Each structure stands twice: as C-alpha cells, then as structure tokens.
C-alpha cells in the first residue's frame, strides 16, 4: 500500500475546493486524474504535498500506513513524495545546475544521468531556473527535478500540456520507468494527450466540481470522456454502471 486518502475536504481562502475525496493508490500503480478546468486537480496534488496555503477541513492522508495529514511539505518530501508543478515559478540568479546538484547530494538518485539525457536537460543546466524556458523546457526541467528526488510517489501536474508530440512521448517513457521501479505515479491531465502514449494505466479518476465523480479502468472511462466530454461522460458512465 502506498497512498490512502480518506474523506478529504480542503478549502482555499475559506472556499471549499475539494469535497470528500477518497482514493487508494497502491505501490507501483499509475493513476490518472482528469477533469475540467478549475475542478480541483492541482489543489488535490497540492493538498497531498501539504502546501501551506490550503486548509484541510476534514479527512486524512496516509502514506505507507503513516498519517501524514499534518506533515509539512519538506517532511513529505523526505518520505519520497514529489510534486512537479503545472507552472513552476521562475527564479532569477539560481541555475538549474545548482538545484540539480543539491537534489543529487540529498537524494542520490541513481538514474540521474539517464533522466538528464532522456529529458534533454544539458542545454538548460546553466540557465536561471525556468527563466525564459519554453513551455516544453519548463515541463522537462520540472519533471527532471522531481525525478532527482527518487520519488516513491511522483505527482505530475499536467506534464503533457503545451509540449510537442516527441516530448509527450519522452515524458510517457519516463513515467513508465518510474512505475517499473515500483514508484507510484499520480498524473493530472485535462487534455488526456499523454494517455494514448502510456502502455499501462491502472485507474482513471474523474474530478468534477471538487469531488471524484467517477473512477474506473482506462478502457472503460477514456473513450467515453473523449467522445462526450466530462459532464455528459460521467452521466453515461454512471448510467452504464446502474443499468
Ligand atoms: N491559491 C488560490 N487562491 C484562490 N483560489 C484558488 C487557489 N488555488 C486554487 N484556487 C481555486 O480553486 C479551484 C480549483 O483550482 P485548481 O487549480 O485546483 O483546478 P484545476 O482542476 O487544476 O484546473 P486547470 O485544469 O485549469 O489547471 C479554482 O476555482 C481556483 O480558482
């Protein structure tokens, strides 16, 4: 068992953004979270990382059986939880190489050279962190830094948005390497572009208006969502289950 979320409700600025989320993500599984803009996908990952701007209203988060609901982000990172942000902030005066070296010293990732080569990190190393990076470069560099943490749970927020087809293929390949090494992966996507590049997806969760509206296998869920969209798709999926 890796991650278990029980009845999690979360507020931002006194507004409830996540409602009664329950999820179990066993070790070595890849789970996809999809949903319309503003449905709470990034907030869910931020809550699992423990980012301080969020207020947990109710519910609990367990990682490998330990209650981490109140742990700060750096303690969660020490346990092996990593978050690759949707839009990482630009940092002037700090080189990607310096951050990468710090992460390597701290987490001793054995596969850093392979990840660096795959994600084409070399030309970015001596540039200020994310400053002026193209959309695709940002995604690759952010993913690289998360991988350097040797994560046991990698949470990737829309790694496929704004990237070209080749980059999406590389990102999918890296995700499969993580799964092969028995890390768990939660992948947020709203376009679903990356789903047809992944050979194995264990479960798809549909997040609508802050709640999990439906969870199922990719074969069941994805064709319906791609054809009918989220809201109508969920109605059809639920109808199928009831009928
Ligand atoms: N820091 C914040 N301050 C105020 N409101 C926020 C903050 N973060 C998120 N929200 C609100 O919470 C809701 C969910 O946002 P979130 O970014 O989690 O959605 P999302 O599903 O990831 O959307 P998208 O697909 O557009 O990235 C939105 O209404 C958003 O405006």
């Amino acid at each position: 068992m890796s991650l278990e979320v029980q009845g999690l409700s979360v507020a931002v600025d006194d507004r409830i953004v996540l409602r009664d989320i329950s999820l179990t993500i066993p070790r070595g599984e890849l789970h996809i979270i999809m949903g319309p803009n503003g449905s709470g996908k990034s907030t869910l990952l931020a809550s699992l990382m423990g980012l301080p701007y969020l207020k947990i209203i109710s519910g609990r988060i367990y990682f490998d059986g330990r209650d981490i609901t109140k742990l700060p982000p750096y303690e969660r990172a020490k346990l092996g939880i990593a978050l690759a942000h949707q839009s990482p902030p630009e940092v002037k005066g700090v080189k990607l190489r310096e951050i990468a070296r710090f992460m390597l010293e701290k987490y001793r990732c054995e596969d850093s050279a392979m990840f660096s080569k795959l994600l084409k990190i070399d030309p970015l190393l001596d540039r200020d962190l994310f400053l002026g990076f193209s959309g695709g470069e940002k995604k690759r560099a952010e993913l690289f830094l998360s991988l350097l943490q040797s994560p046991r749970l990698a949470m990737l927020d829309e790694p496929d948005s704004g990237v070209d087809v080749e980059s999406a293929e590389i990102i999918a390949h890296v995700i499969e390497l993580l799964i092969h090494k028995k890390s768990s992966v939660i992948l947020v996507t709203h376009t679903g572009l990356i789903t047809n590049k992944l050979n194995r997806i264990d479960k798809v969760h549909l997040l609508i208006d802050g709640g999990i509206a439906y969870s199922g296998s990719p074969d069941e869920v994805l064709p319906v969502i791609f054809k009918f969209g989220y809201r109508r798709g969920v109605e059809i999926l639920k109808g199928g289950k009831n009928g």
Side-chain angles (χ1 to χ4, degrees), residues 174-185:
V174 167
I175 290 169
E176 288 185 337
L177 290 173
L178 278 174
I179 295 296
H180 184 69
K181 290 206 137 201
K182 292 279 174 231
S183 298
S184 313
V185 177

Side-chain angles (χ1 to χ4, degrees), residues 151-199:
R152 292 166 63 212
L153 170 65
M155 302 190 290
L156 312 178
D157 197 349
E158 301 205 11
D160 55 341
S161 80
V163 303
D164 57 33
V165 178
E166 286 81 359
S167 298
E169 269 163 14
I170 293 166
I171 290 167
H173 180 56
V174 167
I175 290 169
E176 288 185 337
L177 290 173
L178 278 174
I179 295 296
H180 184 69
K181 290 206 137 201
K182 292 279 174 231
S183 298
S184 313
V185 177
I186 306 178
L187 173 63
V188 161
T189 173
H190 75 242
T191 61
L193 170 72
I194 202 165
T195 56
N196 62 15
K197 304 192 184 308
L198 289 159
N199 290 314

Side-chain angles (χ1 to χ4, degrees), residues 12-13 15 17 36-43 53 86 158 190:
V12 185
D13 289 345
R15 184 164 77 87
V17 174
N37 289 132
S39 57
K41 303 180 294 298
S42 298
T43 306
Y53 69 94
Q86 184 177 5
E158 301 205 11
H190 75 242

Side-chain angles (χ1 to χ4, degrees), residues 98-110:
E98 295 168 54
I99 302 291
R101 190 178 297 138
F102 171 79
M103 305 287 263
L104 262 177
E105 277 165 16
K106 195 166 166 64
Y107 297 103
R108 311 210 169 274
C109 173
E110 294 166 1

